[in-house]
Every structure is written in structure tokens, then in C-alpha cells.
Amino acid sequence: KLDAYRKQRGWSYVDLAELTGASHATVARRWCLPHSHRDYKIPAQKFMNAILVITDGAVQPNSFYQIGLDDEDQFQNYVVQWLDASLPM
């Protein structure tokens, strides 16, 4: 979602880095990669706060997380696994 917002605004990775206070464009680029990419990174809290501000809340922290619940079966399996791990034996 951040990459789509960046492109919509016409921002380069350098622009995004400067707006968020990141040290280098490569850092900002990693936030914009697909979740499955090996170089993908979730922004640290200070950058997440800056992203919220510069996007007026259009990009939220949950945009950076993917838990793989694409369908009902995956969701049910996730719930069962969570319950199994959470309940005392």
C-alpha cells in the first residue's frame, strides 16, 4: 500500500526516505517491496509514525503485515493453531 501511495504522489524512494527521516532510499524501497520479497522490511515505529503523518493515515501499520489469511480455510486453521498454542494442556 505504501508503494501505491508513493507512486500516486510521484515520490521517488529518495523523497520517501527524506519525508520519513530514513537514512537512505534503499531503506524506503524495502518498505515498498512485496511482502514475499526477501529484502522486504517492516518500518520501525519511528518511521511508521512518520508514514502515518505523511500519508494522512492512508497507510496504516497493518498494511505492512501479512498473516496469509486469504480464505476461510486458512482463517479456520489459523484460529485452531492459535487456540491449540494458547490453551493450557
Side-chain angles (χ1 to χ4, degrees), residues 61-80:
N62 61 345
S63 301
F64 295 95
Y65 295 90
Q66 181 179 20
I67 55 174
L69 305 179
D70 297 330
D71 62 33
E72 185 71 21
D73 289 335
Q74 285 183 335
F75 177 73
Q76 288 177 355
N77 289 336
Y78 174 78
V79 170
V80 168

Side-chain angles (χ1 to χ4, degrees), residues 3 13 16 24-33 37 39:
D3 199 42
Y13 294 122
L16 183 58
H24 197 275
T26 301
V27 175
R29 179 187 149 276
R30 288 180 171 186
W31 302 332
C32 296
L33 293 170
H37 194 283
D39 292 331

Side-chain angles (χ1 to χ4, degrees), residues 4 7 9 11 16-17 23-24 30-31 33 35 41 44 47-48 50 54 62-63 67 72 75 80 82 84-85 89:
K7 289 175 182 176
R9 297 285 186 213
W11 296 343
L16 183 58
S23 60
H24 197 275
R30 288 180 171 186
W31 302 332
L33 293 170
H35 293 117
K41 297 290 182 196
F47 300 121
M48 196 77 76
I54 67 169
N62 61 345
S63 301
I67 55 174
E72 185 71 21
F75 177 73
V80 168
W82 182 83
D84 286 346
M89 299 302 246

